[in-house]
């Protein structure tokens, strides 16, 4: 890998380092752990406690179910993004290891070439 043609300023290098750094996900709060069982429990409790003379409208019930479906989709999306982030972090680590190995191999080749040149010079 030829780095002689690549020019990076300190600001550019910091930006590159930030982009290549493994990501950190903040811990989710307790509300993010609600699932369908919790929703059904809340719905059952709501139906049990509602006023029989003024029941909840069908539109309100459907709106609550739609909100829960939306929340479930967001939770699934968040899980997928977490998996993608983990895989990208592993890819970055592998790329850094490959870069380090490539650099070490280039340095070893340079040293071998210099040793061979020195040996040829001594012979002549």
């Amino acid at each position: 890998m030829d780095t002689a043609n690549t020019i990076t300023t300190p600001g550019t290098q910091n930006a590159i380092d930030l982009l290549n750094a493994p990501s950190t996900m903040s811990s989710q709060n307790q509300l993010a752990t609600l699932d369908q069982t919790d929703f059904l429990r809340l719905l059952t409790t709501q139906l049990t406690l509602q006023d029989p003379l003024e029941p909840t409208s069908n539109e309100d019930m459907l709106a609550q179910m739609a909100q829960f479906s939306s929340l479930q989709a967001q939770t699934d999306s968040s899980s997928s993004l977490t998996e993608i982030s983990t895989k990208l972090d592993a890819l970055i680590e592998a790329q850094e290891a490959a870069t380090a190995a490539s650099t070490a191999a280039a340095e070893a080749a340079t040293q071998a070439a210099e040793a061979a040149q020195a040996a040829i010079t001594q012979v002549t």
Side-chain angles (χ1 to χ4, degrees):
M1 187 167 111
D2 184 19
T3 57
N5 295 334
T6 305
I7 300 173
T8 57
T9 62
T12 305
Q13 188 60 45
N14 289 341
I16 292 171
D17 292 342
L18 286 174
L19 289 172
N20 289 331
S23 61
T24 56
M25 300 291 289
S26 62
S27 63
Q28 296 178 345
N29 60 21
Q30 291 296 326
L31 293 178
T33 60
L34 294 176
D35 60 5
Q36 291 177 346
T37 306
D38 296 320
F39 173 74
L40 290 175
R41 189 176 304 123
L42 288 170
L43 180 64
T44 305
T45 303
Q46 183 179 5
L47 290 173
T48 305
L49 298 177
Q50 76 178 346
D51 184 3
L53 300 176
E54 293 182 28
T56 306
S57 71
N58 289 337
E59 291 84 15
D60 291 342
M61 287 295 199
L62 288 174
Q64 287 178 357
M65 288 183 185
Q67 287 174 344
F68 182 75
S69 295
S70 175
L71 176 63
Q72 185 66 35
Q74 288 175 348
T75 303
D76 293 344
S77 177
S78 176
S79 297
S80 296
L81 289 174
T82 300
E83 290 177 28
I84 290 170
S85 175
T86 301
K87 290 177 182 179
L88 285 175
D89 290 345
L91 181 63
I92 289 169
E93 289 176 13
Q95 184 179 16
E96 289 173 350
T99 300
S102 175
T103 303
E107 289 175 4
T110 302
Q111 290 175 355
E114 289 172 355
Q117 184 64 31
I120 291 172
T121 305
Q122 285 181 348
V123 170
T124 57

